[in-house]
């Protein structure tokens, strides 16, 4: 694929879609699918992950790529013909979630991932002109850390306030498909794209050989699902916030949303109570429901310098607990640490892996464990969270030491022997992310 002209032509076409979206706000575009050609499909293939599990057809990325040109040409013809393309069901598997619970995930076929990616490439430049700046989930060049930074800066600027921490019950499985397709039609009047989205929504889920067809929700694990969910919440929450809520606030207010996880912050308690009362009604109009146990309103004002008054609460957002803390200079600053449930879930995952992999050759274990640690540090290693990642690193070493001991009849490994193992097979130390770079945290003494 090296040297293929697909990326350049695709970027040019996406820039044209973005320009049309800017020139025609609120207008449905009718000829989006005409951009899909051989170069477009090659680029969609290039952007599709190749290391995922196979779908219901059992075809892997490697097998699909053996006759790539013919496969992509056939896929494009079938997608544009309408009748000859049938969306295959999604294969459902369950992964551990912690505390004995599991989370169902869907695995589409590799070919379907390519076709969904090609449609996402059409929709992104169109909707990026419509989506608001406080929306961060599953958008190009935006990450959870961007959302966390925006929340941090806004809370500091306001000096805290009343935080409405919202959780939508089973959001991705509760989306009203009829309303979703209606919302998409406001911006996309292309028959090919509309039919494809409808087929993916109705494709169903296969588990243990049985295909189930839920009445609501977006395709599980589908490449198309994130942007469809963003389109839905853009209408349900974002536009409502901008056009109906903000103009009626007595004080200040802001919102930060990452997919279905969002917080609203108000300087005035009356504003917070009014929005808290009206939000469930708004969601019910679109088939959604607030999770009563996970949604709460709390006072989160910056504490007074003299320490008087009640201690402010804390709230979790995107895996971090946010709380006020006194700095070394005596100022009250907003700090973040790994949320307890995420910390426990991470260790539970390491524990399960270590128990299964204890008889795997040491060199292979180190490669896997190092990858898991780097992934944790890359996400949770933000400034101010050094103690949490140091603790995580230490607990991981303890877990690994315990299960290495189970490789023999003795049932344990001494710390002296374990330190020799670490010297021979070094693991990455705790690291913080700082302005895009990683810096080593001060390690705990073992």
């Amino acid at each position: 694929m090296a040297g293929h002209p697909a990326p350049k032509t695709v970027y040019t076409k996406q820039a044209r879609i973005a320009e049309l979206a800017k020139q025609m706000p609120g207008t449905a575009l009718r000829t989006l699918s005409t951009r899909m050609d051989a170069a477009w499909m090659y680029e969609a293939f290039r952007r599709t992950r190749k290391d995922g599990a196979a779908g219901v057809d059992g075809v892997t990325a490697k097998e699909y790529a053996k006759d790539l040109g013919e496969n992509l040409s056939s896929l494009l013809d079938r997608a544009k013909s309408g009748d000859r393309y049938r969306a295959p069901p999604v294969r459902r598997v369950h992964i551990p979630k912690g505390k004995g619970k599991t989370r169902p995930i869907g695995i589409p076929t590799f070919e379907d991932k390519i076709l969904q990616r090609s449609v996402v490439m059409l929709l992104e430049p169109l909707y990026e002109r419509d989506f608001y700046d406080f929306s961060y989930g599953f958008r190009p060049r935006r990450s959870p850390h961007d959302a966390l930074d925006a929340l941090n800066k806004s809370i500091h600027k306001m000096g805290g306030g009343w935080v409405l921490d919202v959780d939508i019950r089973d959001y991705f499985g509760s989306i009203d498909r009829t309303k979703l397709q209606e919302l998409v039609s406001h911006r996309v009047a292309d028959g090919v794209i509309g039919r494809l989205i409808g087929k993916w929504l109705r494709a169903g889920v296969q588990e243990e050989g049985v295909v189930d067809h839920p009445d609501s929700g977006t395709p599980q694990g589908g490449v198309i699902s994130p942007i469809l969910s963003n389109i839905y919440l853009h209408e349900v929450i974002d536009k409502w916030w901008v056009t109906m809520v903000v103009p009626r606030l007595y004080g200040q207010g802001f919102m930060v949303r990452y997919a279905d996880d969002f917080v609203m912050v108000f300087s005035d308690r009356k504003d917070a109570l009014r929005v808290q009362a009206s939000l469930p009604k708004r969601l019910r109009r679109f088939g959604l429901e607030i999770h009563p146990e996970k949604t709460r309103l709390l006072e989160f004002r910056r504490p007074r310098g003299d320490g008087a008054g009640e201690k402010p609460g804390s709230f979790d957002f995107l895996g971090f607990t946010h709380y006020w803390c006194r700095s070394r200079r005596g100022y009250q600053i907003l700090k973040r640490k790994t949320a307890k449930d995420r910390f426990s879930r991470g260790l539970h995952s390491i524990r399960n892996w270590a128990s299964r992999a204890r008889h795997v050759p040491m060199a292979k274990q180190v490669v896997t464990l190092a990858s898991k640690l780097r992934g944790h540090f890359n996400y949770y290693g933000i400034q101010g969270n050094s103690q949490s990642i140091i603790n995580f690193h230490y607990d991981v070493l303890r877990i690994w030491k315990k299960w290495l001991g189970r490789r023999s009849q003795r049932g344990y490994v001494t710390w002296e022997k374990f330190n020799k193992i670490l010297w021979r097979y070094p693991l990455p130390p705790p690291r913080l992310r700082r302005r895009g770079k990683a810096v080593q945290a001060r390690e705990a003494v073992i």
Side-chain angles (χ1 to χ4, degrees), residues 388-438:
S388 288
I389 66 167
I390 288 171
N391 292 343
F392 186 84
H393 183 261
Y394 175 69
D395 287 345
V396 166
L397 294 183
R398 286 177 48 250
I399 291 170
W400 194 38
K401 172 182 175 295
K402 170 188 171 182
W403 285 103
L404 287 179
R406 303 288 177 91
R407 290 161 64 99
S408 66
Q409 294 182 348
R410 294 179 62 186
Y412 71 92
V413 170
T414 64
W415 280 108
E416 181 180 1
K417 183 177 180 180
F418 184 62
N419 283 327
K420 290 180 179 179
I421 293 174
L422 291 178
W423 181 83
R424 184 176 180 184
Y425 300 102
L427 290 170
R431 290 184 178 274
L432 298 180
R433 301 173 76 258
R434 183 178 296 170
R435 294 179 182 177
K437 299 180 180 179

Side-chain angles (χ1 to χ4, degrees), residues 155-167:
I155 287 181
H156 264 293
K157 184 177 179 180
M158 188 185 289
W162 293 85
V163 173
L164 182 58
D165 182 13
V166 183
D167 186 276

Side-chain angles (χ1 to χ4, degrees), residues 10-27 29 32 35 121-130 187:
V10 168
Y11 295 149
T12 302
K13 291 178 181 179
Q14 288 183 314
R16 177 57 180 158
I17 295 173
E19 186 62 28
L20 287 174
K22 182 180 180 180
Q23 294 173 0
M24 306 166 66
T27 302
L29 303 186
L32 285 174
R35 273 83 174 173
M121 288 159 52
L122 292 171
L123 297 180
E124 275 184 348
L126 173 61
Y127 280 99
E128 278 300 303
R129 293 288 178 175
D130 295 346
R187 214 60 172 106

Side-chain angles (χ1 to χ4, degrees), residues 243-250 271 274:
T243 62
M244 302 296 291
V245 175
V246 173
R248 292 171 172 79
L249 294 179
Y250 293 110
D271 290 331
R274 284 169 52 233

Side-chain angles (χ1 to χ4, degrees), residues 61-68 71:
K62 186 176 181 180
E63 293 169 340
Y64 193 86
K66 289 179 180 179
D67 194 6
L68 183 60
N71 287 335

Side-chain angles (χ1 to χ4, degrees), residues 55-109:
V56 294
D57 61 357
V59 177
T60 64
K62 186 176 181 180
E63 293 169 340
Y64 193 86
K66 289 179 180 179
D67 194 6
L68 183 60
E70 182 62 31
N71 287 335
L72 293 180
S73 177
S74 171
L75 176 61
L76 181 60
D77 289 342
R78 284 180 282 127
K80 289 194 174 184
S81 70
D83 296 336
R84 291 194 295 123
Y85 171 77
R86 296 184 62 184
V90 173
R91 183 167 69 90
R92 177 185 285 166
V93 297
H94 294 266
I95 60 174
K97 189 179 178 180
K99 298 182 180 179
K101 298 181 180 179
T102 61
R103 174 185 299 154
I105 63 170
I107 304 174
T109 64

Side-chain angles (χ1 to χ4, degrees), residues 188-423:
V188 180
D190 188 300
V192 172
I193 305 303
R195 282 194 301 270
L196 287 175
I197 292 175
K199 289 180 179 182
W200 288 322
L201 292 174
R202 297 187 297 269
V205 179
Q206 179 177 303
E207 186 172 5
E208 297 181 353
V210 179
V211 179
D212 181 38
H213 293 273
D215 296 327
S216 59
T218 56
Q220 284 192 348
V223 177
I224 195 74
S225 292
I227 193 165
L228 292 181
S229 66
N230 262 342
I231 293 170
Y232 203 67
L233 280 185
H234 173 73
E235 180 69 31
V236 178
I237 299 295
D238 300 355
K239 287 181 69 175
W240 175 70
W241 170 263
V242 171
T243 62
M244 302 296 291
V245 175
V246 173
R248 292 171 172 79
L249 294 179
Y250 293 110
Q252 295 177 288
F254 69 88
M255 180 175 79
V256 175
R257 180 173 71 81
Y258 191 93
D260 62 324
D261 196 356
F262 61 97
V263 292
M264 299 172 171
V265 185
F266 307 87
S267 62
D268 192 296
R269 182 172 179 268
K270 292 180 180 178
D271 290 331
L273 291 173
R274 284 169 52 233
V275 174
Q276 184 185 28
S278 58
L279 185 57
K281 303 173 187 176
R282 174 68 180 180
L283 292 179
R284 279 196 295 269
R285 287 181 53 192
F286 293 85
L288 303 177
E289 180 184 0
I290 278 184
H291 198 301
E293 297 174 1
K294 297 182 180 180
T295 299
R296 63 189 185 121
L297 177 66
L298 72 148
E299 186 175 7
F300 195 71
R301 297 184 184 280
R302 179 185 281 118
R304 292 170 52 181
D306 57 7
E310 295 185 9
K311 184 178 179 180
S314 63
F315 67 94
D316 292 348
F317 183 61
L318 298 181
F320 291 89
T321 298
H322 298 68
Y323 63 101
W324 290 105
C325 180
R326 191 183 297 276
S327 70
R328 294 178 180 178
R329 296 184 178 182
Y331 301 111
Q332 291 290 346
I333 59 173
L334 180 63
K335 296 201 70 174
R336 300 162 294 182
K337 62 182 179 181
T338 310
K340 289 182 179 179
D341 62 334
R342 297 295 184 92
F343 191 94
S344 300
R345 191 189 305 174
L347 291 181
H348 182 75
S349 174
I350 296 291
R351 211 172 279 119
N352 284 342
W353 167 81
S355 67
R356 297 192 307 268
R358 63 184 182 274
H359 295 301
V360 173
M362 193 73 71
K364 291 185 177 180
Q365 284 195 48
V366 170
V367 171
T368 302
L369 186 55
S371 176
K372 291 178 181 293
L373 282 172
R374 279 192 292 268
H376 187 90
F377 299 154
N378 285 341
Y379 186 79
Y380 292 102
I382 63 175
Q383 191 172 1
N385 194 35
S386 58
Q387 191 59 54
S388 288
I389 66 167
I390 288 171
N391 292 343
F392 186 84
H393 183 261
Y394 175 69
D395 287 345
V396 166
L397 294 183
R398 286 177 48 250
I399 291 170
W400 194 38
K401 172 182 175 295
K402 170 188 171 182
W403 285 103
L404 287 179
R406 303 288 177 91
R407 290 161 64 99
S408 66
Q409 294 182 348
R410 294 179 62 186
Y412 71 92
V413 170
T414 64
W415 280 108
E416 181 180 1
K417 183 177 180 180
F418 184 62
N419 283 327
K420 290 180 179 179
I421 293 174
L422 291 178
W423 181 83

